[in-house]
Amino acid sequence: MTRGVRSGLGSRSFRCLLAAWAVSSVGDGVLSAALPLVTAVITRDPLAMSGVALATVLPWLLVALPAGAIVDRFPVRRMLVVSHLFRSAVALCLAVVIATGAPATAAERSSLRSEVVAGLRFLMRQPALRAVVGVVGVTALLTSGVNAVAFLYAIEVVRLPAASVPTLLVCTAIGTLLAAPAASRWAARWGSGTVMISALLVLAAGIALLEAAADPLLIWVAYFVMGVGAGAWNVLSAANRQRLTPRALTGRVTSAHRVLAWGLMPLGAGLAGPIAEVSSLQAVILGAAVVLIAVVAVAAPRLRRLPGAE
């Protein structure tokens, strides 16, 4: 390395990437709060809330696999710029539509398919990755169901003013920000698997507290607790995936992981509304907490065998 040129966390490139990611995350957070909030305020309908949540996560199931193969073909910086410009344009069009009330070519389809299959095969042949992805998939199904009805629950049951609902996401973000930097230290001390199991239990406790919330203070605490659990889990599950993936397969394995891990999110979002319609919003939330605890009990032996953080 050339003397005087900093790399890693101290480099200019990393600082630029971190700043760009922070700005993008702020935009994603605003969009994540605005879409379900607008739906809840306008429709007051669990089925409509479920439909919006379904549409939000469905692209991960439909396009994530070929996207990973495309990322591995081109310079990462160029792909980041192009993808964020495209997202900005789509978000602007959506804002215009709300305010006012391109085909893919087939020339490289065959090679893309083979590259996608290679990424999937690698993922499925790794027992450790399969364990993590399985837990993430079920967890994603459950949390997407909770997210599909949570805003409506806050407005209708807890009687939280609609203007205050986005602050719940702020509480989640604070919990995530506190847990994410500490996750690797916890893993180094107690083991990656142990901390991941604990993080899932914390997430389940936050969901259960959300169902039991009788006033705004408790629902804010519930979202904070869920953020702590989700933050620690996301860091360590991603770290284990990256540690076990060759550099040349990073894009494909990551996209395959997203599909397998998040592919159940549309199902969770789509089921939440009908379940709430025939039972209650509370039943969806409490059921998710109970099932998540059961998943932890089944997966705990495998997760304990994961390598600790380095």
Side-chain angles (χ1 to χ4, degrees):
M1 183 178 68
T2 304
R3 185 178 300 275
V5 178
R6 303 183 69 185
S7 62
L9 297 180
S11 67
R12 180 176 180 273
S13 296
F14 178 79
R15 293 196 301 270
C16 291
L17 177 63
L18 183 62
W21 190 264
V23 173
S24 176
S25 297
V26 170
D28 289 340
V30 172
L31 189 62
S32 298
L35 284 177
L37 180 58
V38 168
T39 308
V41 171
I42 294 176
T43 68
R44 307 280 178 157
D45 184 359
L47 292 176
M49 296 293 296
S50 180
V52 169
L54 174 65
T56 302
V57 297
L58 191 59
W60 284 109
L61 182 62
L62 300 179
V63 301
L65 282 176
I70 293 172
V71 167
D72 284 334
R73 288 184 171 189
F74 298 98
V76 175
R77 181 176 299 180
R78 184 187 305 169
M79 293 304 299
L80 283 173
V81 172
V82 172
S83 61
H84 279 294
L85 287 175
F86 177 77
R87 292 178 64 208
S88 300
V90 173
L92 180 60
C93 292
L94 176 61
V96 172
V97 169
I98 293 175
T100 61
T105 59
E108 298 179 341
R109 188 172 300 167
S110 178
S111 59
L112 265 180
R113 185 183 300 112
S114 64
E115 292 174 6
V116 166
V117 170
L120 279 173
R121 283 177 177 170
F122 177 84
L123 176 61
M124 298 309 297
R125 289 172 180 172
Q126 301 297 315
L129 285 178
R130 289 203 310 269
V132 173
V133 168
V135 175
V136 172
V138 179
T139 302
L141 181 147
L142 298 173
T143 55
S144 65
V146 172
N147 291 335
V149 300
F151 279 12
L152 189 60
Y153 172 81
I155 295 172
E156 293 291 330
V157 178
V158 186
R159 302 299 180 186
L160 190 69
S164 300
V165 170
T167 62
L168 298 175
L169 298 182
V170 175
C171 293
T172 300
I174 293 173
T176 300
L177 287 173
L178 292 176
S184 60
R185 296 196 300 271
W186 296 339
R189 181 171 182 178
W190 293 297
S192 182
T194 299
V195 177
M196 292 170 75
I197 293 169
S198 301
L200 290 173
L201 292 175
V202 170
L203 177 59
I207 296 173
L209 181 60
L210 174 64
E211 189 276 335
D215 58 68
L217 178 60
L218 285 180
I219 198 172
W220 283 322
V221 172
Y223 266 81
F224 172 80
V225 173
M226 287 190 289
V228 171
W233 167 260
N234 290 338
V235 167
L236 295 179
S237 62
N240 277 284
R241 185 188 72 245
Q242 293 172 4
R243 185 184 296 116
L244 298 172
T245 303
R247 184 181 182 89
L249 290 173
T250 299
R252 278 164 285 176
V253 170
T254 300
S255 63
H257 171 270
R258 297 294 188 184
V259 168
L260 296 175
W262 290 14
L264 292 175
M265 290 179 69
L267 179 61
L271 289 176
I275 293 175
E277 192 80 1
V278 300
S279 56
S280 66
L281 297 171
Q282 293 93 323
V284 174
I285 298 171
L286 182 59
V290 172
V291 174
L292 181 55
I293 292 174
V295 169
V296 175
V298 172
R302 286 182 175 271
L303 292 178
R304 287 195 182 98
R305 292 196 290 269
L306 289 172
E310 296 178 357

